[in-house]
Every structure is written in C-alpha cells, then in structure tokens.
Amino acid sequence: MTIIPLDFPGFGFADTTPAVPVGGNPGTTLGEQRLIALRRAAEIWGTQLDSSIEIRVQASFGTLSCDATSSVLATAGPVQSLQDFAGAEHPGTWYAAALANKRARTDLLPRADDIRANFNVNLGTPNCFAGAGWYYGLDNAHGDGVDFISVALHELGHGF
C-alpha cells in the first residue's frame, strides 16, 4: 500500500509543529507522526491482504463535523468503482477499485489512486470532542486519546 499525502505545506500530514516522539512513533513533527501512524495502519492491512497489485491511498486532514461531545473522526472510501471487467465474479456488480484490481490481477486504472481518506484535524479542540485528541503512538496505549491507527484501519477498510 502506498500513502499519498494531499495536504498543503504546514497542514495535516505536512504539519511542521514540533512533537515529542510518543508510543514508539519516532516522528518529531505532528505531520511526521501522523504519516508514520497511517503507514503503520497500511502495513497492518498489507499483512492481511493477498493482492499483488499496489493499493494507492490519498490521505489528508480536514474539517469534519463535530461538536464539544461528538465527532466524525474520519471518512474513507474507494476513489472509483468498476464493473464487468475480466475477472469480475458477478456481472453488473460494482467493485471498489482495489478489489477490482485484485480480481483482475492487474491495475485496471494505473494512473488513478484507489482509496481516499480524510481525518478530522480539529479533534480534541474545545469545540470538537473536547479533551480527546488524536494519539499517534504505535503501541495502542492511547489512554483518553483517540487511537489514530485503529481509526485508520477502520477507515481504510471502507476503501476495499
């Protein structure tokens, strides 16, 4: 799986805010920690998937719906879906691009990315699930924070 960060400089996966390494995540900026954690989630999925076709994931941080007590943590899904390709099990059935590529045993859209994921940049602020921000550690010791890797694993699943 290949992660393609889409954030502009200084924001999201490119945020240069200094950060102290946490929970086995050696990143020294917020953006580095975010990218390392997302790559770990992709590695975990990679151990479970049996496709030899590269899966390309667009990833970014943005403003998602939230208030002081609840939040949309993230969203993800396939960039494109395909049907009636060589290797499709059922005619007239739409397949997410990553699954279609696996079934076809080739990248059906070689210039296209397969999954699009967006994470809530405001999580943990006073007006967005106050006090429970992202935890970017790799050790599942998130305490009161929201484990970024667990959320990323869930969201990437929507893309398959």
Side-chain angles (χ1 to χ4, degrees):
M1 223 179 285
T2 302
I3 305 299
I4 300 115
L6 299 179
D7 294 317
F8 55 86
F11 187 81
F13 288 105
D15 190 326
T16 57
T17 302
V20 175
V22 60
N25 186 329
T28 57
T29 68
L30 192 53
E32 280 182 312
Q33 287 188 355
R34 289 170 170 168
L35 193 53
I36 288 167
L38 182 56
R39 285 184 175 142
R40 175 61 59 91
E43 288 170 9
I44 293 168
W45 266 113
T47 66
Q48 301 301 307
L49 301 173
D50 66 353
S51 179
S52 61
I53 309 302
E54 176 189 31
I55 299 169
R56 294 175 48 90
V57 179
Q58 299 174 355
S60 63
F61 272 80
T63 301
L64 300 175
S65 177
C66 59
D67 59 35
T69 60
S70 66
S71 174
V72 173
L73 301 174
T75 62
V79 174
Q80 298 192 49
S81 298
L82 300 109
Q83 67 175 354
D84 299 328
F85 51 87
E89 288 183 309
H90 306 285
T93 300
W94 290 99
Y95 293 81
L99 179 57
N101 292 340
K102 176 196 180 313
R103 299 250 188 249
R105 296 190 172 117
T106 189
D107 194 338
L108 296 167
L109 302 167
R111 288 183 256 249
D113 298 328
D114 303 303
I115 297 172
R116 173 78 170 96
N118 190 29
F119 299 91
N120 197 335
V121 73
N122 293 320
L123 189 70
T125 63
N127 294 319
C128 186
F129 209 48
W134 289 115
Y135 176 72
Y136 299 112
L138 310 179
D139 60 359
N140 198 31
H142 50 83
D144 291 335
V146 177
D147 187 47
F148 184 83
I149 291 175
S150 295
V151 172
L153 285 168
H154 172 92
E155 292 303 327
L156 291 173
H158 289 296
F160 301 124

